Amino acid sequence: MSVEKTLSIIKPDAVRKNVVGQILSKFEANGLKVAAMKMKRLSKAEAEGFYAEHKERGFFGDLVQFMISGPVVVLVLAGQDAILKNRALMGATDPKKAEPGTIRADFAESIDENAVHGSDSATSAAREIAFFFDAAEIVN
């Protein structure tokens, strides 16, 4: 097992529901440390840039609109196998298929408003962390 960093975003639906603290508690209770965190409202350009890999997909416009609909909490999580651990904690993209006790099972309403984003690989994590954070903002 390796210590690594991953990006997580608590999406506008979860922020609106006031469950940020509960989500953070799940991360911490499962061995992930918050190495950086900020609340922000994404601009349309930021949301389009962050999700650029999905630009040609039919859901891209709706995803961008959702991500700019309210504030988000952007986090760098660190820990043993942080990427896989975070993915497991999030649960399936469709909350109806997510395991009980996962973030999406507990807090998401739909496949579109699914409470959290998490990096899916070390390559994505590095790119996504750099998108939102300068190295000096991340505690080691």
Side-chain angles (χ1 to χ4, degrees):
M1 296 197 313
S2 61
V3 174
E4 58 190 6
K5 291 184 177 80
T6 190
L7 185 93
S8 178
I9 301 174
I10 301 175
K11 294 181 178 181
D13 57 321
V15 173
R16 272 192 292 278
K17 288 180 190 170
N18 201 31
V19 295
V20 172
Q22 292 176 66
I23 293 171
L24 291 173
S25 291
K26 281 188 181 273
F27 293 144
E28 293 177 338
N30 286 279
L32 294 173
K33 175 185 166 190
V34 176
M37 180 171 65
K38 58 177 126 181
M39 181 179 268
K40 65 180 288 148
R41 188 155 193 150
L42 298 179
S43 68
K44 185 175 181 191
E46 285 174 316
E48 289 174 341
F50 184 76
Y51 288 108
E53 65 192 78
H54 300 300
K55 190 173 186 176
E56 301 305 320
R57 300 178 101 173
F59 62 81
F60 180 74
D62 289 340
L63 175 61
V64 168
Q65 285 306 120
F66 169 60
M67 291 302 292
I68 66 173
S69 70
V72 297
V73 177
V74 186
L75 305 139
V76 176
L77 300 172
Q80 294 288 329
D81 295 315
I83 296 166
L84 288 176
K85 191 173 284 185
N86 183 41
R87 302 286 299 170
L89 287 170
M90 288 191 312
T93 304
D94 182 348
K96 292 176 186 140
K97 297 177 182 174
E99 291 290 322
T102 62
I103 293 167
R104 288 177 172 149
D106 289 350
F107 304 115
E109 295 297 320
S110 69
I111 198 166
D112 297 318
E113 295 191 9
N114 61 13
V116 287
H117 164 88
S119 302
D120 62 6
S121 67
T123 301
S124 292
R127 177 181 52 80
E128 292 177 355
I129 289 168
F131 189 91
F132 288 109
F133 293 96
D134 293 328
E137 295 177 290
I138 302 169
V139 177
N140 288 317

Short mmCIF file of all heavy atoms in Angstrom, two decimals, residues 50-103:
data_model
loop_
_atom_site.label_atom_id
_atom_site.label_comp_id
_atom_site.label_asym_id
_atom_site.label_seq_id
_atom_site.Cartn_x
_atom_site.Cartn_y
_atom_site.Cartn_z
N PHE A 50 -12.14 21.84 -16.29
CA PHE A 50 -11.94 20.68 -15.42
C PHE A 50 -12.53 19.42 -16.05
O PHE A 50 -11.94 18.34 -15.98
CB PHE A 50 -12.57 20.92 -14.04
CG PHE A 50 -12.31 19.80 -13.08
CD1 PHE A 50 -11.08 19.66 -12.48
CD2 PHE A 50 -13.30 18.87 -12.80
CE1 PHE A 50 -10.82 18.61 -11.60
CE2 PHE A 50 -13.06 17.82 -11.93
CZ PHE A 50 -11.81 17.70 -11.33
N TYR A 51 -13.69 19.54 -16.66
CA TYR A 51 -14.38 18.39 -17.25
C TYR A 51 -14.17 18.30 -18.77
O TYR A 51 -14.95 17.64 -19.46
CB TYR A 51 -15.87 18.43 -16.91
CG TYR A 51 -16.16 18.11 -15.47
CD1 TYR A 51 -16.57 19.09 -14.58
CD2 TYR A 51 -16.03 16.81 -15.00
CE1 TYR A 51 -16.83 18.78 -13.25
CE2 TYR A 51 -16.28 16.50 -13.67
CZ TYR A 51 -16.69 17.48 -12.81
OH TYR A 51 -16.94 17.18 -11.49
N ALA A 52 -13.11 18.91 -19.28
CA ALA A 52 -12.86 18.96 -20.73
C ALA A 52 -12.86 17.58 -21.38
O ALA A 52 -13.27 17.45 -22.54
CB ALA A 52 -11.54 19.68 -21.00
N GLU A 53 -12.41 16.55 -20.67
CA GLU A 53 -12.36 15.21 -21.25
C GLU A 53 -13.76 14.69 -21.62
O GLU A 53 -13.89 13.77 -22.42
CB GLU A 53 -11.68 14.22 -20.30
CG GLU A 53 -12.46 13.99 -19.01
CD GLU A 53 -11.65 13.25 -17.97
OE1 GLU A 53 -10.80 13.88 -17.32
OE2 GLU A 53 -11.88 12.05 -17.82
N HIS A 54 -14.80 15.31 -21.07
CA HIS A 54 -16.17 14.89 -21.37
C HIS A 54 -16.87 15.81 -22.37
O HIS A 54 -18.07 15.68 -22.60
CB HIS A 54 -17.00 14.86 -20.08
CG HIS A 54 -16.47 13.93 -19.05
ND1 HIS A 54 -16.32 12.57 -19.26
CD2 HIS A 54 -16.03 14.15 -17.78
CE1 HIS A 54 -15.83 12.00 -18.19
NE2 HIS A 54 -15.64 12.94 -17.28
N LYS A 55 -16.13 16.73 -22.98
CA LYS A 55 -16.71 17.77 -23.82
C LYS A 55 -17.61 17.22 -24.93
O LYS A 55 -18.63 17.83 -25.26
CB LYS A 55 -15.60 18.63 -24.44
CG LYS A 55 -16.11 19.85 -25.13
CD LYS A 55 -15.00 20.76 -25.56
CE LYS A 55 -15.61 22.04 -26.13
NZ LYS A 55 -14.60 23.00 -26.49
N GLU A 56 -17.25 16.10 -25.51
CA GLU A 56 -18.02 15.55 -26.63
C GLU A 56 -19.21 14.69 -26.18
O GLU A 56 -19.98 14.23 -27.02
CB GLU A 56 -17.10 14.72 -27.54
CG GLU A 56 -15.92 15.50 -28.11
CD GLU A 56 -16.35 16.76 -28.87
OE1 GLU A 56 -17.35 16.72 -29.60
OE2 GLU A 56 -15.68 17.80 -28.70
N ARG A 57 -19.36 14.49 -24.90
CA ARG A 57 -20.43 13.64 -24.40
C ARG A 57 -21.71 14.45 -24.19
O ARG A 57 -21.66 15.64 -23.88
CB ARG A 57 -19.99 12.96 -23.11
CG ARG A 57 -18.74 12.10 -23.38
CD ARG A 57 -18.24 11.48 -22.16
NE ARG A 57 -18.67 10.08 -22.15
CZ ARG A 57 -18.29 9.21 -21.25
NH1 ARG A 57 -17.49 9.57 -20.27
NH2 ARG A 57 -18.71 7.97 -21.31
N GLY A 58 -22.82 13.79 -24.35
CA GLY A 58 -24.11 14.46 -24.29
C GLY A 58 -24.43 15.15 -22.99
O GLY A 58 -25.16 16.13 -22.96
N PHE A 59 -23.85 14.68 -21.90
CA PHE A 59 -24.16 15.24 -20.58
C PHE A 59 -23.28 16.44 -20.20
O PHE A 59 -23.48 17.04 -19.15
CB PHE A 59 -24.05 14.17 -19.49
CG PHE A 59 -22.67 13.56 -19.34
CD1 PHE A 59 -21.68 14.20 -18.62
CD2 PHE A 59 -22.38 12.33 -19.93
CE1 PHE A 59 -20.42 13.65 -18.48
CE2 PHE A 59 -21.12 11.76 -19.78
CZ PHE A 59 -20.14 12.42 -19.06
N PHE A 60 -22.31 16.80 -21.05
CA PHE A 60 -21.32 17.82 -20.71
C PHE A 60 -21.97 19.15 -20.30
O PHE A 60 -21.64 19.72 -19.26
CB PHE A 60 -20.35 18.04 -21.87
CG PHE A 60 -19.30 19.09 -21.60
CD1 PHE A 60 -18.25 18.84 -20.75
CD2 PHE A 60 -19.38 20.33 -22.22
CE1 PHE A 60 -17.28 19.80 -20.50
CE2 PHE A 60 -18.42 21.31 -21.98
CZ PHE A 60 -17.37 21.04 -21.13
N GLY A 61 -22.89 19.67 -21.10
CA GLY A 61 -23.52 20.96 -20.80
C GLY A 61 -24.25 20.95 -19.48
O GLY A 61 -24.14 21.89 -18.68
N ASP A 62 -25.00 19.88 -19.23
CA ASP A 62 -25.74 19.77 -17.96
C ASP A 62 -24.78 19.65 -16.78
O ASP A 62 -25.02 20.23 -15.72
CB ASP A 62 -26.67 18.57 -17.98
CG ASP A 62 -27.87 18.77 -18.90
OD1 ASP A 62 -28.20 19.93 -19.22
OD2 ASP A 62 -28.48 17.75 -19.29
N LEU A 63 -23.68 18.92 -16.97
CA LEU A 63 -22.68 18.77 -15.91
C LEU A 63 -22.08 20.13 -15.56
O LEU A 63 -21.97 20.49 -14.39
CB LEU A 63 -21.58 17.80 -16.35
CG LEU A 63 -20.40 17.63 -15.40
CD1 LEU A 63 -20.84 17.12 -14.03
CD2 LEU A 63 -19.37 16.70 -16.03
N VAL A 64 -21.70 20.89 -16.58
CA VAL A 64 -21.13 22.22 -16.34
C VAL A 64 -22.13 23.10 -15.61
O VAL A 64 -21.79 23.76 -14.61
CB VAL A 64 -20.65 22.86 -17.66
CG1 VAL A 64 -20.33 24.34 -17.48
CG2 VAL A 64 -19.45 22.11 -18.22
N GLN A 65 -23.38 23.11 -16.07
CA GLN A 65 -24.41 23.94 -15.42
C GLN A 65 -24.60 23.54 -13.96
O GLN A 65 -24.73 24.39 -13.08
CB GLN A 65 -25.73 23.85 -16.18
CG GLN A 65 -25.74 24.63 -17.47
CD GLN A 65 -25.36 26.09 -17.28
OE1 GLN A 65 -24.39 26.57 -17.86
NE2 GLN A 65 -26.10 26.82 -16.49
N PHE A 66 -24.61 22.25 -13.70
CA PHE A 66 -24.74 21.77 -12.32
C PHE A 66 -23.57 22.21 -11.47
O PHE A 66 -23.75 22.71 -10.35
CB PHE A 66 -24.87 20.24 -12.32
CG PHE A 66 -24.74 19.64 -10.96
CD1 PHE A 66 -25.61 19.97 -9.92
CD2 PHE A 66 -23.74 18.72 -10.70
CE1 PHE A 66 -25.48 19.41 -8.67
CE2 PHE A 66 -23.61 18.15 -9.44
CZ PHE A 66 -24.48 18.50 -8.42
N MET A 67 -22.36 22.07 -11.99
CA MET A 67 -21.16 22.39 -11.20
C MET A 67 -21.02 23.88 -10.92
O MET A 67 -20.34 24.26 -9.98
CB MET A 67 -19.91 21.83 -11.86
CG MET A 67 -19.84 20.30 -11.84
SD MET A 67 -19.89 19.58 -10.17
CE MET A 67 -18.29 20.13 -9.54
N ILE A 68 -21.67 24.74 -11.71
CA ILE A 68 -21.61 26.18 -11.44
C ILE A 68 -22.86 26.67 -10.71
O ILE A 68 -23.00 27.86 -10.45
CB ILE A 68 -21.36 27.00 -12.73
CG1 ILE A 68 -22.53 26.91 -13.71
CG2 ILE A 68 -20.05 26.58 -13.39
CD1 ILE A 68 -22.42 27.84 -14.92
N SER A 69 -23.76 25.75 -10.36
CA SER A 69 -25.03 26.14 -9.74
C SER A 69 -24.91 26.56 -8.28
O SER A 69 -25.87 27.10 -7.72
CB SER A 69 -26.03 24.98 -9.86
OG SER A 69 -25.67 23.90 -9.01
N GLY A 70 -23.77 26.32 -7.68
CA GLY A 70 -23.57 26.69 -6.28
C GLY A 70 -22.14 26.40 -5.88
O GLY A 70 -21.37 25.87 -6.68
N PRO A 71 -21.78 26.74 -4.65
CA PRO A 71 -20.41 26.51 -4.21
C PRO A 71 -20.08 25.02 -4.12
O PRO A 71 -20.98 24.18 -3.94
CB PRO A 71 -20.33 27.18 -2.85
CG PRO A 71 -21.73 27.37 -2.41
CD PRO A 71 -22.60 27.38 -3.62
N VAL A 72 -18.80 24.73 -4.25
CA VAL A 72 -18.27 23.38 -4.08
C VAL A 72 -17.16 23.45 -3.04
O VAL A 72 -16.62 24.52 -2.76
CB VAL A 72 -17.71 22.80 -5.41
CG1 VAL A 72 -18.81 22.67 -6.45
CG2 VAL A 72 -16.55 23.63 -5.94
N VAL A 73 -16.81 22.30 -2.47
CA VAL A 73 -15.65 22.20 -1.59
C VAL A 73 -14.65 21.29 -2.30
O VAL A 73 -14.97 20.14 -2.61
CB VAL A 73 -16.02 21.65 -0.20
CG1 VAL A 73 -14.77 21.49 0.66
CG2 VAL A 73 -17.03 22.57 0.48
N VAL A 74 -13.49 21.84 -2.58
CA VAL A 74 -12.44 21.11 -3.28
C VAL A 74 -11.40 20.68 -2.26
O VAL A 74 -10.94 21.50 -1.45
CB VAL A 74 -11.80 21.99 -4.38
CG1 VAL A 74 -10.82 21.19 -5.21
CG2 VAL A 74 -12.86 22.61 -5.26
N LEU A 75 -11.04 19.39 -2.28
CA LEU A 75 -10.15 18.83 -1.27
C LEU A 75 -9.02 18.03 -1.90
O LEU A 75 -9.23 17.37 -2.92
CB LEU A 75 -10.91 17.82 -0.40
CG LEU A 75 -12.15 18.27 0.29
CD1 LEU A 75 -13.21 17.20 0.23
CD2 LEU A 75 -11.82 18.57 1.72
N VAL A 76 -7.88 18.05 -1.25
CA VAL A 76 -6.84 17.06 -1.51
C VAL A 76 -6.86 16.13 -0.31
O VAL A 76 -6.74 16.57 0.83
CB VAL A 76 -5.45 17.71 -1.67
CG1 VAL A 76 -4.38 16.63 -1.85
CG2 VAL A 76 -5.43 18.69 -2.83
N LEU A 77 -7.07 14.85 -0.59
CA LEU A 77 -7.06 13.83 0.45
C LEU A 77 -5.78 13.03 0.33
O LEU A 77 -5.34 12.71 -0.78
CB LEU A 77 -8.27 12.90 0.28
CG LEU A 77 -9.64 13.56 0.36
CD1 LEU A 77 -10.73 12.56 -0.02
CD2 LEU A 77 -9.88 14.14 1.73
N ALA A 78 -5.19 12.70 1.47
CA ALA A 78 -3.94 11.94 1.48
C ALA A 78 -4.09 10.73 2.39
O ALA A 78 -4.79 10.78 3.41
CB ALA A 78 -2.79 12.82 1.97
N GLY A 79 -3.42 9.65 2.01
CA GLY A 79 -3.44 8.46 2.83
C GLY A 79 -3.00 7.24 2.07
O GLY A 79 -2.69 7.31 0.87
N GLN A 80 -2.98 6.11 2.75
CA GLN A 80 -2.65 4.84 2.11
C GLN A 80 -3.69 4.55 1.04
O GLN A 80 -4.89 4.54 1.31
CB GLN A 80 -2.66 3.71 3.15
CG GLN A 80 -1.59 3.81 4.20
CD GLN A 80 -0.20 3.51 3.64
OE1 GLN A 80 -0.03 2.72 2.73
NE2 GLN A 80 0.79 4.16 4.20
N ASP A 81 -3.22 4.34 -0.18
CA ASP A 81 -4.11 4.02 -1.30
C ASP A 81 -5.32 4.96 -1.36
O ASP A 81 -6.48 4.52 -1.51
CB ASP A 81 -4.55 2.56 -1.24
CG ASP A 81 -3.38 1.62 -1.44
OD1 ASP A 81 -2.57 1.85 -2.36
OD2 ASP A 81 -3.27 0.65 -0.66
N ALA A 82 -5.05 6.26 -1.25
CA ALA A 82 -6.11 7.26 -1.15
C ALA A 82 -7.07 7.24 -2.34
O ALA A 82 -8.28 7.44 -2.16
CB ALA A 82 -5.50 8.66 -1.00
N ILE A 83 -6.57 6.99 -3.53
CA ILE A 83 -7.44 7.02 -4.71
C ILE A 83 -8.48 5.92 -4.63
O ILE A 83 -9.70 6.18 -4.74
CB ILE A 83 -6.61 6.92 -6.00
CG1 ILE A 83 -5.70 8.16 -6.14
CG2 ILE A 83 -7.52 6.78 -7.23
CD1 ILE A 83 -4.61 8.02 -7.18
N LEU A 84 -8.05 4.69 -4.41
CA LEU A 84 -8.99 3.57 -4.33
C LEU A 84 -9.90 3.69 -3.12
O LEU A 84 -11.09 3.39 -3.19
CB LEU A 84 -8.25 2.24 -4.29
CG LEU A 84 -7.59 1.82 -5.61
CD1 LEU A 84 -6.80 0.53 -5.42
CD2 LEU A 84 -8.62 1.65 -6.71
N LYS A 85 -9.36 4.13 -2.00
CA LYS A 85 -10.15 4.28 -0.79
C LYS A 85 -11.26 5.32 -1.01
O LYS A 85 -12.42 5.10 -0.65
CB LYS A 85 -9.26 4.68 0.38
CG LYS A 85 -9.95 4.61 1.72
CD LYS A 85 -8.99 4.85 2.85
CE LYS A 85 -8.14 3.63 3.08
NZ LYS A 85 -7.26 3.77 4.26
N ASN A 86 -10.90 6.45 -1.62
CA ASN A 86 -11.90 7.49 -1.88
C ASN A 86 -12.96 6.99 -2.85
O ASN A 86 -14.15 7.23 -2.65
CB ASN A 86 -11.22 8.75 -2.42
CG ASN A 86 -12.21 9.88 -2.62
OD1 ASN A 86 -13.11 10.11 -1.82
ND2 ASN A 86 -12.06 10.60 -3.72
N ARG A 87 -12.56 6.28 -3.88
CA ARG A 87 -13.53 5.74 -4.85
C ARG A 87 -14.51 4.79 -4.16
O ARG A 87 -15.71 4.83 -4.42
CB ARG A 87 -12.81 5.01 -5.99
CG ARG A 87 -11.81 5.85 -6.77
CD ARG A 87 -12.36 6.86 -7.70
NE ARG A 87 -13.18 6.28 -8.75
CZ ARG A 87 -13.93 7.00 -9.57
NH1 ARG A 87 -13.97 8.32 -9.47
NH2 ARG A 87 -14.65 6.43 -10.49
N ALA A 88 -14.00 3.97 -3.26
CA ALA A 88 -14.86 3.04 -2.53
C ALA A 88 -15.82 3.80 -1.60
O ALA A 88 -17.00 3.45 -1.50
CB ALA A 88 -14.02 2.04 -1.74
N LEU A 89 -15.31 4.82 -0.93
CA LEU A 89 -16.15 5.62 -0.03
C LEU A 89 -17.26 6.36 -0.79
O LEU A 89 -18.36 6.54 -0.27
CB LEU A 89 -15.31 6.63 0.73
CG LEU A 89 -14.42 6.09 1.84
CD1 LEU A 89 -13.47 7.17 2.33
CD2 LEU A 89 -15.26 5.55 2.97
N MET A 90 -16.96 6.80 -2.02
CA MET A 90 -17.96 7.52 -2.80
C MET A 90 -19.12 6.63 -3.17
O MET A 90 -20.26 7.05 -3.14
CB MET A 90 -17.33 8.08 -4.09
CG MET A 90 -16.41 9.24 -3.86
SD MET A 90 -15.93 10.10 -5.38
CE MET A 90 -15.44 8.79 -6.47
N GLY A 91 -18.85 5.40 -3.59
CA GLY A 91 -19.89 4.50 -4.06
C GLY A 91 -20.13 4.69 -5.55
O GLY A 91 -19.55 5.56 -6.19
N ALA A 92 -21.02 3.89 -6.09
CA ALA A 92 -21.35 3.93 -7.51
C ALA A 92 -21.88 5.30 -7.91
O ALA A 92 -22.53 5.99 -7.11
CB ALA A 92 -22.37 2.86 -7.85
N THR A 93 -21.60 5.69 -9.15
CA THR A 93 -22.04 6.99 -9.67
C THR A 93 -23.55 7.16 -9.53
O THR A 93 -24.03 8.23 -9.18
CB THR A 93 -21.63 7.15 -11.15
OG1 THR A 93 -20.21 6.97 -11.24
CG2 THR A 93 -21.98 8.53 -11.68
N ASP A 94 -24.28 6.10 -9.79
CA ASP A 94 -25.73 6.10 -9.61
C ASP A 94 -26.02 5.74 -8.15
O ASP A 94 -25.79 4.61 -7.73
CB ASP A 94 -26.38 5.09 -10.54
CG ASP A 94 -27.90 5.07 -10.45
OD1 ASP A 94 -28.46 5.69 -9.51
OD2 ASP A 94 -28.52 4.44 -11.32
N PRO A 95 -26.52 6.69 -7.36
CA PRO A 95 -26.73 6.40 -5.94
C PRO A 95 -27.68 5.24 -5.68
O PRO A 95 -27.60 4.59 -4.64
CB PRO A 95 -27.28 7.72 -5.38
CG PRO A 95 -27.76 8.49 -6.55
CD PRO A 95 -26.94 8.04 -7.72
N LYS A 96 -28.55 4.91 -6.63
CA LYS A 96 -29.45 3.76 -6.47
C LYS A 96 -28.69 2.45 -6.50
O LYS A 96 -29.17 1.44 -6.00
CB LYS A 96 -30.52 3.78 -7.56
CG LYS A 96 -31.49 4.94 -7.43
CD LYS A 96 -32.48 4.98 -8.58
CE LYS A 96 -33.32 6.23 -8.46
NZ LYS A 96 -33.57 6.86 -9.73
N LYS A 97 -27.47 2.48 -7.09
CA LYS A 97 -26.64 1.28 -7.18
C LYS A 97 -25.49 1.29 -6.17
O LYS A 97 -24.72 0.35 -6.09
CB LYS A 97 -26.08 1.13 -8.60
CG LYS A 97 -27.16 0.94 -9.64
CD LYS A 97 -26.57 0.88 -11.03
CE LYS A 97 -27.68 0.73 -12.07
NZ LYS A 97 -27.17 0.81 -13.43
N ALA A 98 -25.38 2.38 -5.42
CA ALA A 98 -24.28 2.53 -4.45
C ALA A 98 -24.54 1.68 -3.22
O ALA A 98 -25.67 1.54 -2.75
CB ALA A 98 -24.13 4.00 -4.06
N GLU A 99 -23.47 1.12 -2.69
CA GLU A 99 -23.55 0.31 -1.47
C GLU A 99 -24.03 1.17 -0.30
O GLU A 99 -23.62 2.33 -0.17
CB GLU A 99 -22.18 -0.28 -1.14
CG GLU A 99 -21.70 -1.33 -2.11
CD GLU A 99 -22.49 -2.61 -2.03
OE1 GLU A 99 -22.85 -3.03 -0.91
OE2 GLU A 99 -22.75 -3.20 -3.10
N PRO A 100 -24.84 0.61 0.58
CA PRO A 100 -25.27 1.35 1.78
C PRO A 100 -24.05 1.84 2.57
O PRO A 100 -23.05 1.13 2.67
CB PRO A 100 -26.06 0.30 2.58
CG PRO A 100 -26.51 -0.69 1.56
CD PRO A 100 -25.42 -0.73 0.52
N GLY A 101 -24.16 3.05 3.09
CA GLY A 101 -23.08 3.63 3.87
C GLY A 101 -22.07 4.42 3.06
O GLY A 101 -21.24 5.13 3.63
N THR A 102 -22.13 4.32 1.72
CA THR A 102 -21.23 5.14 0.90
C THR A 102 -21.78 6.56 0.83
O THR A 102 -22.96 6.81 1.13
CB THR A 102 -21.07 4.56 -0.52
OG1 THR A 102 -22.34 4.57 -1.17
CG2 THR A 102 -20.47 3.16 -0.50
N ILE A 103 -20.94 7.48 0.43
CA ILE A 103 -21.34 8.89 0.37
C ILE A 103 -22.52 9.07 -0.57
O ILE A 103 -23.50 9.75 -0.24
CB ILE A 103 -20.15 9.77 -0.05
CG1 ILE A 103 -19.08 9.75 1.05
CG2 ILE A 103 -20.59 11.20 -0.36
CD1 ILE A 103 -17.73 10.32 0.64
#
